[in-house]
Amino acid sequence: MTSKTIYFCAGWFTDKQNQAYQATMTAIKQNPTIDVENSYVPLQHQYKNIRVDEHPEYLHDKEWATATFKGDCLGVTTTDVTLAVYIPDEEDVGMGTEIAWAKAHGKYVLLVIPDEEWGKPINLMSWGFADNAIKMSELASFNFNQPSFNFYEGAVY
């Protein structure tokens, strides 16, 4: 079976984001249609391995910011699919930018929403750029070799 590489778009700055991040990592490792080893996980590609959640002083470092941004853009353009771990009440402008960048480069965009968040209103632009939205519980068995379009069942704002 062939597998696709993903750009793993997710926040990790709040407890809710961390829980969703970890649940997603577990699910993608179980999914045989995802090539996890060759996918791009931004947290694993921070410039000079500096994580700003551990070293916030680097948020003022233009070299770190530019290199991390450029690396993430490269990650989007060199992977097959952009998988965005979307938490409706914790909208992330960075995620919105990554989703738009992916769509502009012809990438399939999948929103993965934690089951307990499913149905809550999501941002109109994220909804518009997404090709599909699924519940977290569906991720381990989602076939990335046969991507499909579907509407999100919740409202937009």
Side-chain angles (χ1 to χ4, degrees):
M1 175 180 285
T2 61
S3 56
K4 303 287 184 192
T5 57
I6 62 165
Y7 178 84
F8 186 88
C9 182
W12 59 83
F13 295 101
T14 70
D15 288 341
K16 191 182 283 190
Q17 289 173 354
N18 270 314
Q19 289 172 350
Y21 186 102
Q22 296 306 322
T24 304
M25 286 301 287
T26 298
I28 66 172
K29 289 176 182 176
Q30 296 170 358
N31 189 314
T33 65
I34 297 176
D35 178 359
V36 177
E37 183 180 334
N38 293 301
S39 290
Y40 191 96
V41 180
L43 243 173
Q44 297 170 1
H45 290 88
Q46 299 292 288
Y47 182 64
K48 295 184 178 180
N49 295 315
I50 298 168
R51 288 180 46 163
V52 293
D53 55 333
E54 296 170 354
H55 298 281
E57 66 273 15
Y58 278 90
L59 289 170
H60 299 281
D61 185 298
K62 288 178 179 41
E63 178 185 347
W64 178 90
T66 302
T68 298
F69 171 79
K70 296 290 187 179
D72 288 355
C73 289
L74 186 64
V76 169
T77 59
T78 60
T79 53
D80 299 314
V81 173
T82 293
L83 183 156
V85 183
Y86 190 96
I87 299 174
D89 58 357
E90 293 191 13
E91 183 71 10
D92 179 356
V93 68
M95 178 179 289
T97 303
E98 290 165 320
I99 291 170
W101 183 255
K103 197 53 153 182
H105 285 85
K107 304 299 177 170
Y108 181 79
V109 175
L110 179 69
L111 300 184
V112 177
I113 300 172
D115 289 29
E116 63 275 10
E117 303 287 323
W118 187 259
K120 291 183 178 180
I122 65 173
N123 182 278
L124 171 67
M125 300 308 286
S126 297
W127 172 84
F129 282 124
D131 293 299
N132 200 344
I134 63 170
K135 294 178 182 177
M136 180 77 68
S137 60
E138 300 170 312
L139 181 56
S141 62
F142 185 83
N143 189 345
F144 283 84
N145 290 318
Q146 297 177 339
S148 59
F149 173 83
N150 202 0
F151 287 103
Y152 175 62
E153 295 173 9
V156 297
Y157 62 86

Coordinates of all heavy atoms in Angstrom, one line a residue, residues 28-95:
I28 N -2.2 9.2 13.5 CA -1.5 9.1 12.2 C -0.4 8.0 12.2 O -0.2 7.4 11.2 CB -0.8 10.4 11.8 CG1 0.3 10.9 12.8 CG2 -1.9 11.5 11.6 CD1 1.1 12.1 12.3
K29 N 0.1 7.6 13.4 CA 1.0 6.5 13.5 C 0.3 5.2 13.2 O 1.0 4.2 12.8 CB 1.8 6.5 14.8 CG 2.8 7.6 14.9 CD 3.4 7.7 16.3 CE 4.4 8.9 16.4 NZ 4.9 9.0 17.7
Q30 N -1.0 5.1 13.4 CA -1.8 3.9 13.2 C -2.3 3.9 11.8 O -2.8 2.8 11.3 CB -3.0 3.9 14.2 CG -2.6 3.8 15.6 CD -3.7 3.9 16.6 OE1 -4.9 4.2 16.2 NE2 -3.5 3.8 17.9
N31 N -2.2 5.0 11.1 CA -2.8 5.0 9.7 C -1.8 4.5 8.7 O -0.8 5.2 8.5 CB -3.3 6.5 9.4 CG -4.1 6.6 8.1 OD1 -3.7 6.0 7.1 ND2 -5.2 7.3 8.2
P32 N -2.1 3.4 8.0 CA -1.2 2.9 7.0 C -1.1 3.7 5.8 O -0.1 3.5 5.0 CB -1.8 1.5 6.7 CG -3.2 1.6 7.0 CD -3.3 2.6 8.1
T33 N -1.9 4.7 5.5 CA -1.8 5.5 4.3 C -1.1 6.8 4.6 O -1.0 7.7 3.7 CB -3.2 5.8 3.7 OG1 -4.0 6.6 4.7 CG2 -4.0 4.5 3.4
I34 N -0.4 6.9 5.7 CA 0.4 8.1 6.0 C 1.8 7.6 6.3 O 2.1 6.7 7.0 CB -0.1 8.8 7.3 CG1 -1.5 9.4 7.1 CG2 0.9 10.0 7.6 CD1 -2.0 10.1 8.3
D35 N 2.8 8.3 5.6 CA 4.2 8.0 5.7 C 4.7 9.0 6.8 O 5.2 10.1 6.5 CB 4.9 8.2 4.4 CG 6.4 8.1 4.5 OD1 6.9 7.8 5.6 OD2 7.1 8.3 3.4
V36 N 4.6 8.6 8.0 CA 4.9 9.5 9.2 C 6.4 9.9 9.1 O 6.7 11.0 9.4 CB 4.5 8.8 10.5 CG1 4.9 9.7 11.7 CG2 3.0 8.6 10.6
E37 N 7.2 8.9 8.8 CA 8.7 9.1 8.9 C 9.1 10.2 7.9 O 10.0 11.0 8.3 CB 9.4 7.8 8.5 CG 10.9 8.0 8.6 CD 11.6 6.7 8.3 OE1 11.0 5.6 8.5 OE2 12.8 6.7 7.9
N38 N 8.5 10.4 6.8 CA 8.9 11.4 5.8 C 7.9 12.6 5.8 O 8.0 13.4 4.9 CB 9.0 10.7 4.4 CG 10.1 9.7 4.4 OD1 11.3 10.1 4.7 ND2 9.8 8.5 4.2
S39 N 7.0 12.6 6.7 CA 6.1 13.8 6.8 C 6.8 15.0 7.5 O 7.9 14.8 8.0 CB 4.9 13.4 7.6 OG 4.1 12.5 6.8
Y40 N 6.2 16.1 7.5 CA 6.8 17.3 8.0 C 6.0 17.7 9.3 O 4.8 18.1 9.2 CB 6.8 18.5 7.0 CG 7.7 19.6 7.5 CD1 9.0 19.8 7.1 CD2 7.1 20.6 8.3 CE1 9.8 20.8 7.5 CE2 7.9 21.7 8.7 CZ 9.2 21.8 8.3 OH 10.0 22.9 8.7
V41 N 6.6 17.6 10.4 CA 6.0 18.0 11.7 C 6.8 19.2 12.2 O 8.0 19.1 12.6 CB 6.1 16.8 12.7 CG1 5.5 17.3 14.0 CG2 5.4 15.6 12.2
P42 N 6.2 20.4 12.1 CA 6.9 21.6 12.4 C 7.7 21.6 13.8 O 8.8 22.1 13.9 CB 5.8 22.7 12.4 CG 4.9 22.2 11.4 CD 4.8 20.7 11.6
L43 N 7.1 21.0 14.8 CA 7.7 21.0 16.1 C 9.1 20.2 16.0 O 10.0 20.5 16.8 CB 6.8 20.3 17.1 CG 6.4 21.2 18.3 CD1 5.4 20.5 19.1 CD2 7.5 21.7 19.1
Q44 N 9.2 19.3 15.0 CA 10.4 18.6 14.9 C 11.4 19.3 13.9 O 12.5 18.8 13.7 CB 10.1 17.2 14.3 CG 9.3 16.4 15.3 CD 8.8 15.1 14.7 OE1 9.1 14.8 13.5 NE2 8.0 14.3 15.4
H45 N 11.0 20.5 13.4 CA 11.8 21.2 12.5 C 12.0 22.7 12.9 O 12.2 23.5 12.0 CB 11.2 21.2 11.1 CG 11.3 19.8 10.4 ND1 10.3 18.9 10.6 CD2 12.2 19.3 9.6 CE1 10.6 17.8 9.9 NE2 11.8 18.0 9.3
Q46 N 12.0 22.9 14.2 CA 12.2 24.3 14.6 C 13.7 24.6 14.4 O 14.6 23.8 14.6 CB 11.9 24.4 16.1 CG 10.5 24.1 16.5 CD 9.5 25.1 15.9 OE1 9.4 26.2 16.4 NE2 8.8 24.7 14.9
Y47 N 13.9 25.8 13.9 CA 15.3 26.3 13.6 C 16.2 26.1 14.8 O 15.9 26.5 15.9 CB 15.2 27.7 13.1 CG 16.6 28.3 12.7 CD1 17.3 27.8 11.6 CD2 17.1 29.3 13.4 CE1 18.5 28.3 11.2 CE2 18.4 29.9 13.0 CZ 19.0 29.4 11.9 OH 20.2 29.9 11.5
K48 N 17.3 25.4 14.6 CA 18.3 25.1 15.6 C 17.7 24.4 16.8 O 18.2 24.4 17.9 CB 19.0 26.4 16.1 CG 19.9 27.1 15.0 CD 20.6 28.3 15.6 CE 21.5 28.9 14.5 NZ 22.3 30.0 15.0
N49 N 16.6 23.7 16.5 CA 15.8 22.9 17.5 C 15.4 23.8 18.7 O 15.3 23.3 19.9 CB 16.7 21.7 18.0 CG 16.9 20.7 16.9 OD1 15.9 20.4 16.2 ND2 18.1 20.2 16.8
I50 N 15.1 25.0 18.5 CA 14.7 26.0 19.5 C 13.2 26.1 19.5 O 12.6 26.5 18.5 CB 15.3 27.4 19.4 CG1 16.9 27.3 19.4 CG2 14.8 28.3 20.4 CD1 17.6 28.5 19.0
R51 N 12.6 25.6 20.6 CA 11.1 25.7 20.7 C 10.7 26.9 21.5 O 11.2 27.1 22.6 CB 10.6 24.4 21.4 CG 10.6 23.2 20.5 CD 10.1 22.0 21.2 NE 8.8 22.2 21.9 CZ 8.0 21.3 22.3 NH1 8.3 20.0 22.1 NH2 6.9 21.6 23.0
V52 N 9.9 27.8 20.9 CA 9.6 29.1 21.5 C 8.6 28.9 22.7 O 8.5 29.8 23.5 CB 9.0 30.1 20.5 CG1 10.1 30.5 19.5 CG2 7.8 29.6 19.8
D53 N 8.0 27.7 22.8 CA 7.2 27.5 24.0 C 8.1 27.3 25.2 O 7.7 27.5 26.3 CB 6.2 26.4 23.8 CG 6.8 25.1 23.4 OD1 7.9 25.1 22.8 OD2 6.2 24.0 23.7
E54 N 9.3 26.8 24.9 CA 10.3 26.6 26.0 C 11.2 27.8 26.1 O 11.8 28.0 27.2 CB 11.1 25.3 25.7 CG 10.2 24.1 25.8 CD 11.0 22.9 25.3 OE1 12.1 23.0 24.8 OE2 10.4 21.8 25.4
H55 N 11.4 28.5 25.0 CA 12.3 29.7 25.0 C 11.6 30.9 24.3 O 12.0 31.2 23.2 CB 13.6 29.4 24.3 CG 14.4 28.3 24.9 ND1 15.2 28.5 26.0 CD2 14.5 26.9 24.6 CE1 15.7 27.3 26.4 NE2 15.3 26.4 25.6
P56 N 10.7 31.5 25.0 CA 9.9 32.6 24.3 C 10.7 33.8 23.9 O 10.3 34.6 23.1 CB 8.9 33.0 25.4 CG 9.3 32.4 26.7 CD 10.2 31.3 26.3
E57 N 11.9 33.9 24.5 CA 12.8 35.0 24.1 C 13.2 35.0 22.6 O 13.5 36.0 22.0 CB 14.1 35.1 25.0 CG 15.0 33.9 24.8 CD 14.7 32.6 25.6 OE1 13.6 32.5 26.2 OE2 15.6 31.8 25.7
Y58 N 13.1 33.8 22.0 CA 13.4 33.7 20.6 C 12.3 34.3 19.7 O 12.5 34.4 18.4 CB 13.7 32.3 20.2 CG 15.2 31.9 20.5 CD1 15.5 31.4 21.7 CD2 16.2 32.2 19.6 CE1 16.8 31.2 22.1 CE2 17.5 31.9 19.9 CZ 17.8 31.4 21.1 OH 19.1 31.2 21.4
L59 N 11.1 34.6 20.2 CA 10.1 35.2 19.4 C 10.5 36.6 18.9 O 10.0 37.2 18.0 CB 8.8 35.4 20.3 CG 8.1 34.1 20.5 CD1 7.0 34.3 21.6 CD2 7.5 33.5 19.3
H60 N 11.6 37.2 19.5 CA 12.2 38.4 19.1 C 13.4 38.3 18.2 O 14.0 39.2 17.8 CB 12.6 39.3 20.3 CG 11.4 39.6 21.2 ND1 10.5 40.6 20.9 CD2 11.0 39.0 22.4 CE1 9.5 40.6 21.9 NE2 9.8 39.6 22.8
D61 N 13.8 37.0 17.9 CA 14.9 36.7 17.1 C 14.5 36.6 15.7 O 13.9 35.6 15.3 CB 15.6 35.4 17.7 CG 16.9 35.1 17.0 OD1 16.9 34.9 15.7 OD2 17.9 35.1 17.7
K62 N 14.9 37.5 14.9 CA 14.5 37.5 13.4 C 15.1 36.4 12.7 O 14.5 35.8 11.8 CB 14.9 38.9 12.8 CG 14.0 40.0 13.2 CD 14.4 41.3 12.6 CE 13.5 42.5 13.0 NZ 13.1 42.6 14.4
E63 N 16.3 35.9 13.0 CA 16.9 34.8 12.3 C 16.1 33.5 12.6 O 15.7 32.8 11.7 CB 18.4 34.6 12.8 CG 19.0 33.3 12.2 CD 20.4 33.1 12.7 OE1 21.0 33.9 13.4 OE2 20.9 31.9 12.5
W64 N 15.8 33.3 13.9 CA 15.0 32.1 14.2 C 13.6 32.2 13.6 O 13.1 31.2 13.0 CB 14.8 32.0 15.8 CG 13.9 30.9 16.1 CD1 14.3 29.6 16.4 CD2 12.5 30.8 16.2 NE1 13.2 28.8 16.6 CE2 12.1 29.5 16.5 CE3 11.5 31.8 16.0 CZ2 10.7 29.1 16.6 CZ3 10.1 31.4 16.2 CH2 9.8 30.1 16.5
A65 N 12.9 33.4 13.6 CA 11.6 33.5 13.1 C 11.6 33.3 11.6 O 10.7 32.6 11.0 CB 11.0 34.9 13.4
T66 N 12.5 33.9 10.9 CA 12.6 33.8 9.4 C 12.9 32.3 9.0 O 12.2 31.8 8.1 CB 13.7 34.7 8.8 OG1 13.3 36.1 9.2 CG2 13.7 34.6 7.3
A67 N 13.8 31.7 9.6 CA 14.2 30.3 9.3 C 13.1 29.4 9.6 O 12.8 28.4 8.8 CB 15.5 29.9 10.0
T68 N 12.4 29.5 10.7 CA 11.3 28.7 11.1 C 10.2 28.8 10.1 O 9.6 27.9 9.6 CB 10.9 28.9 12.5 OG1 12.0 28.6 13.4 CG2 9.7 28.0 12.9
F69 N 9.8 30.1 9.8 CA 8.8 30.4 8.8 C 9.1 29.7 7.4 O 8.3 29.1 6.8 CB 8.6 31.9 8.6 CG 7.7 32.3 7.5 CD1 6.3 32.2 7.7 CD2 8.2 32.7 6.3 CE1 5.5 32.5 6.6 CE2 7.4 33.0 5.2 CZ 6.0 32.9 5.4
K70 N 10.3 30.0 6.9 CA 10.7 29.4 5.6 C 10.7 27.9 5.6 O 10.3 27.3 4.7 CB 12.1 29.9 5.2 CG 12.2 31.4 5.0 CD 11.5 31.9 3.8 CE 11.7 33.4 3.6 NZ 11.1 33.8 2.4
G71 N 11.1 27.3 6.7 CA 11.1 25.9 6.8 C 9.7 25.3 6.8 O 9.4 24.3 6.1
D72 N 8.8 26.0 7.5 CA 7.4 25.5 7.5 C 6.8 25.7 6.1 O 6.0 24.8 5.6 CB 6.6 26.3 8.5 CG 6.9 25.9 10.0 OD1 7.7 24.9 10.1 OD2 6.4 26.5 10.9
C73 N 7.1 26.8 5.4 CA 6.6 26.9 4.0 C 7.1 25.8 3.1 O 6.3 25.3 2.3 CB 7.0 28.3 3.5 SG 6.1 29.7 4.2
L74 N 8.3 25.5 3.3 CA 8.9 24.4 2.5 C 8.2 23.1 2.9 O 8.0 22.2 2.0 CB 10.4 24.3 2.8 CG 11.2 23.3 2.0 CD1 11.2 23.6 0.6 CD2 12.7 23.2 2.5
G75 N 7.9 22.9 4.2 CA 7.2 21.7 4.6 C 5.9 21.5 3.9 O 5.5 20.4 3.5
V76 N 5.1 22.6 3.8 CA 3.8 22.6 3.1 C 4.0 22.2 1.7 O 3.3 21.4 1.2 CB 3.1 23.9 3.3 CG1 1.9 24.0 2.4 CG2 2.7 24.2 4.7
T77 N 4.9 22.8 1.0 CA 5.0 22.6 -0.5 C 5.7 21.3 -0.8 O 5.5 20.9 -2.0 CB 5.8 23.8 -1.1 OG1 7.2 23.8 -0.6 CG2 5.1 25.1 -0.9
T78 N 6.4 20.7 0.1 CA 7.0 19.4 -0.3 C 6.3 18.1 0.2 O 6.8 17.0 0.0 CB 8.5 19.4 0.2 OG1 8.5 19.5 1.6 CG2 9.3 20.5 -0.5
T79 N 5.2 18.3 0.9 CA 4.4 17.2 1.3 C 3.2 17.0 0.5 O 2.8 17.9 -0.3 CB 4.1 17.3 2.8 OG1 3.4 18.5 3.0 CG2 5.3 17.2 3.7
D80 N 2.5 15.9 0.6 CA 1.4 15.6 -0.2 C 0.1 16.3 0.3 O -0.7 16.7 -0.5 CB 1.1 14.1 -0.3 CG 2.3 13.3 -0.9 OD1 2.8 13.8 -2.0 OD2 2.7 12.3 -0.3
V81 N -0.1 16.3 1.6 CA -1.4 16.7 2.2 C -1.1 17.6 3.4 O -0.1 17.4 4.1 CB -2.1 15.4 2.7 CG1 -3.4 15.8 3.5 CG2 -2.5 14.5 1.5
T82 N -2.0 18.6 3.6 CA -1.9 19.4 4.8 C -3.0 18.9 5.7 O -4.2 19.0 5.4 CB -2.0 20.9 4.5 OG1 -0.9 21.3 3.8 CG2 -2.1 21.7 5.8
L83 N -2.6 18.4 6.9 CA -3.5 17.9 7.9 C -3.5 19.0 9.0 O -2.5 19.2 9.6 CB -3.1 16.6 8.4 CG -4.0 15.9 9.5 CD1 -3.7 14.4 9.5 CD2 -3.7 16.4 10.9
A84 N -4.7 19.6 9.2 CA -4.8 20.7 10.2 C -5.6 20.2 11.4 O -6.8 19.9 11.3 CB -5.4 21.9 9.6
V85 N -5.0 20.2 12.6 CA -5.7 19.8 13.8 C -6.4 21.1 14.3 O -5.8 22.0 14.8 CB -4.8 19.3 14.9 CG1 -5.5 18.9 16.1 CG2 -3.9 18.2 14.3
Y86 N -7.7 21.2 14.0 CA -8.5 22.4 14.2 C -9.4 22.3 15.4 O -10.2 21.4 15.6 CB -9.4 22.6 13.0 CG -10.0 23.9 12.9 CD1 -9.4 25.0 12.2 CD2 -11.2 24.2 13.6 CE1 -10.0 26.2 12.1 CE2 -11.8 25.5 13.5 CZ -11.2 26.5 12.8 OH -11.8 27.7 12.7
I87 N -9.2 23.3 16.3 CA -10.0 23.4 17.5 C -10.8 24.7 17.4 O -10.3 25.8 17.4 CB -9.1 23.5 18.8 CG1 -8.3 22.2 18.9 CG2 -9.9 23.7 20.0 CD1 -7.2 22.2 20.0
P88 N -12.1 24.5 17.2 CA -13.0 25.7 16.9 C -12.9 26.9 17.8 O -12.9 28.0 17.3 CB -14.4 25.1 16.9 CG -14.2 23.6 16.6 CD -12.9 23.3 17.2
D89 N -12.8 26.7 19.1 CA -12.7 27.9 19.9 C -11.3 28.4 20.2 O -11.1 29.2 21.1 CB -13.5 27.6 21.2 CG -13.1 26.4 22.0 OD1 -12.1 25.7 21.6 OD2 -13.6 26.2 23.1
E90 N -10.4 27.8 19.5 CA -9.0 28.3 19.7 C -8.4 28.5 18.3 O -7.4 27.9 17.9 CB -8.1 27.3 20.5 CG -8.6 27.2 21.9 CD -7.6 26.4 22.8 OE1 -6.5 26.1 22.4 OE2 -8.0 26.1 23.9
E91 N -9.0 29.4 17.5 CA -8.6 29.8 16.2 C -7.1 30.2 16.2 O -6.8 31.0 17.1 CB -9.5 30.8 15.6 CG -9.2 31.2 14.2 CD -9.6 30.2 13.2 OE1 -10.2 29.2 13.5 OE2 -9.1 30.4 12.0
D92 N -6.4 29.8 15.3 CA -4.9 30.0 15.2 C -4.6 30.7 13.8 O -4.8 30.1 12.8 CB -4.2 28.7 15.3 CG -2.7 28.9 15.3 OD1 -2.2 30.0 15.0 OD2 -2.0 27.9 15.5
V93 N -4.2 32.0 13.9 CA -4.0 32.7 12.6 C -2.8 32.0 11.8 O -2.9 32.0 10.6 CB -3.7 34.2 12.9 CG1 -2.4 34.4 13.6 CG2 -3.7 35.0 11.6
G94 N -1.9 31.4 12.5 CA -0.8 30.7 11.8 C -1.3 29.5 11.1 O -0.9 29.3 9.9
M95 N -2.2 28.8 11.7 CA -2.8 27.7 11.0 C -3.6 28.1 9.8 O -3.5 27.5 8.7 CB -3.8 26.9 11.9 CG -4.5 25.7 11.3 SD -5.5 24.8 12.4 CE -4.3 24.0 13.4

